[in-house]
Amino acid sequence: MTFLGNLLVIIGIYVILAESQELLAGQTGLLSIAQAALFGVGAYTSALLTVDVGAPIWAGFACAMGLASLTAVVATIPIARLGGQYFCIATFCLQIVATDLITNWQGLTRGPLGLPGIPRPEVLGEPVGMVGFIVLAAGAALLSVALVRRLAVSSFGRALRVIREDEALARSWGMSPRSLKWRAAAFSGALAGMAGAIFAHHFTFIDPTSFTLSESILIAVMVILGGSGNPLGAVIGASFLVTLPEVLRFVGIPASQAGNVRELVYGLLLVMTVWLRPHGLLGRWSYTR
Amino acid sequence: MGHLLSQLLANQAVASALYVLFGAAYLMPARINRCFDLTPGAAATLGAYVGVLGGASLGACLAVGSLTGAVVGGVNQWGVMSPLRGRGRSGSQLFLVSLGVVVVVESGVRMWRGSSAQMMLGGQGVFEIWGARMTEAQGVAVLGAALVWIGLFAAARWSPGGRLYRAVAEDRELALGLGLSVGGVEPLVGAVAGAVAGLGGVLLAAQIGATPSLGFNAILYGVIAGVISQGRLRAVLGVGVLMGATEGLVGWYLGSLWKQGVVFGLFLLYLLIRDVRMEREAVA
């Protein structure tokens, strides 16, 4: 039960992260390689507030979403003007800077030692158990899918797709690409921050290894594989890539190699997807710039 | 104090040499493929591992590593990047593919040899120059980077292959239209870049040991050198030296832990300033 429960919670967390990427990459055309940094901002904000300040967990969640959203906006305002590959590389740099900050700012984050003792949410004075966390993660994942779907069909989502296809056209219609981009980044950051808070309070321990460049690449691959421009694609991509190492364990691959095989498979899938199906499995759009 | 300064300068020279190598390795296929091509990172990782494991002396390690890198780079360009360009994939898509190739090689190497660093035995003898102590491998890195840069610069400028490379890098469609051997020069460029990356990988492994992420981390610095050089091979030398000096200063004032973050932060700042400048020029 613990194994399956943990797996379901992790799937839920990664679905939220993939949706946060989908909103930026699939709807807006901005492929970010810094989603793990926002995930980390959310995790550390909620953990530090509840452990060091003694704030209630709901406040930790709210601040995690708020600060991750703010970080995304502050980071996006200057770099959103860089198009296509340059945006990718800029977010690459942001991710590396963020990893260095999390690892080396030991006074705040305790660096590689990590933050232990993060409290679990309580209901009627009792800590939430595995079933409660599965419900929380699944509910949050469903909420994020619904939110991204709702945004995608709204006038805001249509405007995002216009700037994704042709910024000059969007400007000529009186839209403000910069404002639309930072609003998309705000939603995306809030989702990543929520995923971070759930992660921190579920595992009760966080350290910098969960928020690295390879995590950001994994989140990007989830959306590319599942299909950009379709919120359901992100669900498929996240579920597949999270479940893959566990399936590999059942077919006899040792646990120590399962992570490596997953990386190998997702690297190959990245190449094959771009080669054979640039739109991904359920996608409606591919990175043409 | 004099010795300390000499040692600092020697360390910066070694770091600069490696940046020049990785900058040159990045630049060549990136210009051909018109994307942030990270695949020389895969050549560097494999070159470093095969070189460290396959060579008894530093010379043998370098030869084996370069050859491995050349094979990886050539095959990747011939079998992956060129066909994808032919299919009309965009720069962003090619960038993602190159990322995929690096991830495949990195995870494959981790499965093969584990995550711990593989130390190189050759090239660890120490010599002294102007009061600074350097290992043989570090000395070879400085000399080798200078020779490779001169060789590449001369080849690109004056050799028939180099002229062909520049033609394809400037306008692939025009080169195809003129009947130039685009299909021949692209794998050759990939192989040369892979050989340079493999050489850099072995020289880096001689100092910090070969790890699965060696090539990926190194080629990110190559990207910085390549982008700041604005695609010009001759500028890579100056940019590599500047990066080495910057890293040395950051290490001196803030500590070595912050080197990577500060260098990438400065690069981000450069990208933003460059973008603003380009926009102003376009408006003017």
Side-chain angles (χ1 to χ4, degrees), chain B residues 26-40:
Chain B
Y26 160 77
L27 203 58
M28 287 182 279
R31 285 200 66 192
I32 289 272
N33 296 321
R34 293 193 172 273
C35 72
F36 287 105
D37 189 348
L38 306 177
T39 43

Side-chain angles (χ1 to χ4, degrees), chain B residues 126-144:
Chain B
V126 176
F127 67 95
E128 203 162 302
I129 179 167
W130 297 316
R133 288 163 71 85
M134 290 174 94
T135 63
E136 286 164 15
Q138 288 176 326
V140 170
V142 176
L143 266 178

Side-chain angles (χ1 to χ4, degrees), chain B residues 199-250:
Chain B
L199 185 77
V202 173
L203 290 168
L204 186 56
Q207 292 168 66
I208 59 168
T211 57
S213 56
L214 173 142
F216 185 44
N217 292 337
I219 207 63
L220 290 179
Y221 284 95
V223 172
I224 297 180
V227 172
I228 298 178
S229 306
Q230 298 183 347
R232 289 169 303 179
L233 198 56
R234 63 176 183 274
V236 165
L237 183 70
V239 174
V241 171
L242 190 69
M243 284 170 66
T246 307
E247 203 189 68
L249 286 174
V250 172

Side-chain angles (χ1 to χ4, degrees), chain A residues 138-191:
Chain A
L142 280 175
L143 189 72
S144 65
V145 176
L147 175 74
V148 175
R149 275 186 75 115
R150 182 77 195 88
L151 287 175
V153 295
S154 67
S155 57
F156 172 62
R158 283 195 294 276
L160 290 182
R161 287 195 296 280
V162 172
I163 60 163
R164 180 186 77 185
E165 297 300 330
D166 193 335
E167 270 196 49
L169 181 71
R171 271 195 213 98
S172 74
W173 283 355
M175 295 173 186
S176 165
R178 195 172 294 182
S179 149
L180 286 163
K181 283 176 183 176
W182 72 251
R183 279 156 63 194
F187 279 116
S188 173
L191 289 178

Side-chain angles (χ1 to χ4, degrees), chain A residues 81 85 100 274-275 287 289, chain B residues 36 89-90 92 261 275 279:
Chain A
R81 55 192 300 138
Q85 300 178 68
D100 259 28
V274 174
W275 195 305
Y287 301 92
R289 271 175 279 175
Chain B
F36 287 105
R89 297 293 181 260
S90 67
S92 294
D275 186 66
E279 202 167 271

Side-chain angles (χ1 to χ4, degrees), chain B residues 149-186:
Chain B
W149 179 80
I150 291 167
L152 288 176
F153 180 70
R157 202 164 183 89
W158 293 297
S159 75
R163 280 196 287 273
L164 196 54
Y165 154 69
R166 284 189 286 141
V168 175
E170 282 302 319
D171 194 331
R172 188 177 193 261
E173 304 310 315
L174 185 62
L176 275 169
L178 290 170
L180 299 178
S181 172
V182 174
V185 77
E186 284 181 346

Side-chain angles (χ1 to χ4, degrees), chain B:
Chain B
M1 189 64 190
H3 283 286
L4 191 63
L5 190 64
S6 300
Q7 192 61 54
L8 269 175
L9 288 174
N11 293 347
Q12 286 181 17
V14 175
S16 302
L18 291 169
Y19 293 144
V20 170
L21 285 176
F22 287 113
Y26 160 77
L27 203 58
M28 287 182 279
R31 285 200 66 192
I32 289 272
N33 296 321
R34 293 193 172 273
C35 72
F36 287 105
D37 189 348
L38 306 177
T39 43
T45 302
L46 269 181
Y49 268 85
V50 177
V52 167
L53 298 170
S57 63
L58 179 62
C61 289
L62 290 172
V64 173
S66 299
L67 192 65
T68 309
V71 172
V72 174
V75 168
N76 173 68
Q77 185 64 43
W78 171 75
V80 181
M81 302 304 268
S82 292
L84 282 173
R85 275 215 77 184
R87 285 173 172 232
R89 297 293 181 260
S90 67
S92 294
Q93 289 170 329
L94 292 177
F95 161 67
L96 291 171
V97 166
S98 74
L99 193 59
V101 170
V102 176
V103 169
V104 166
V105 168
E106 191 177 316
S107 49
V109 166
R110 199 171 283 127
M111 287 166 69
W112 174 39
R113 300 295 304 180
S115 295
S116 54
Q118 309 280 315
M119 301 312 291
M120 198 164 103
L121 299 175
Q124 302 304 318
V126 176
F127 67 95
E128 203 162 302
I129 179 167
W130 297 316
R133 288 163 71 85
M134 290 174 94
T135 63
E136 286 164 15
Q138 288 176 326
V140 170
V142 176
L143 266 178
L147 289 175
V148 164
W149 179 80
I150 291 167
L152 288 176
F153 180 70
R157 202 164 183 89
W158 293 297
S159 75
R163 280 196 287 273
L164 196 54
Y165 154 69
R166 284 189 286 141
V168 175
E170 282 302 319
D171 194 331
R172 188 177 193 261
E173 304 310 315
L174 185 62
L176 275 169
L178 290 170
L180 299 178
S181 172
V182 174
V185 77
E186 284 181 346
L188 184 68
V189 170
V192 172
V196 174
L199 185 77
V202 173
L203 290 168
L204 186 56
Q207 292 168 66
I208 59 168
T211 57
S213 56
L214 173 142
F216 185 44
N217 292 337
I219 207 63
L220 290 179
Y221 284 95
V223 172
I224 297 180
V227 172
I228 298 178
S229 306
Q230 298 183 347
R232 289 169 303 179
L233 198 56
R234 63 176 183 274
V236 165
L237 183 70
V239 174
V241 171
L242 190 69
M243 284 170 66
T246 307
E247 203 189 68
L249 286 174
V250 172
W252 179 259
Y253 285 107
L254 295 176
S256 59
L257 288 173
W258 292 98
K259 275 199 270 192
Q260 198 182 25
V262 172
V263 168
F264 278 88
L266 288 173
F267 176 56
L268 184 60
L269 209 58
Y270 167 81
L271 284 179
L272 297 174
I273 293 167
R274 171 184 169 276
D275 186 66
V276 171
R277 207 182 62 199
M278 279 169 68
E279 202 167 271
R280 275 193 196 143
E281 280 170 9
V283 170

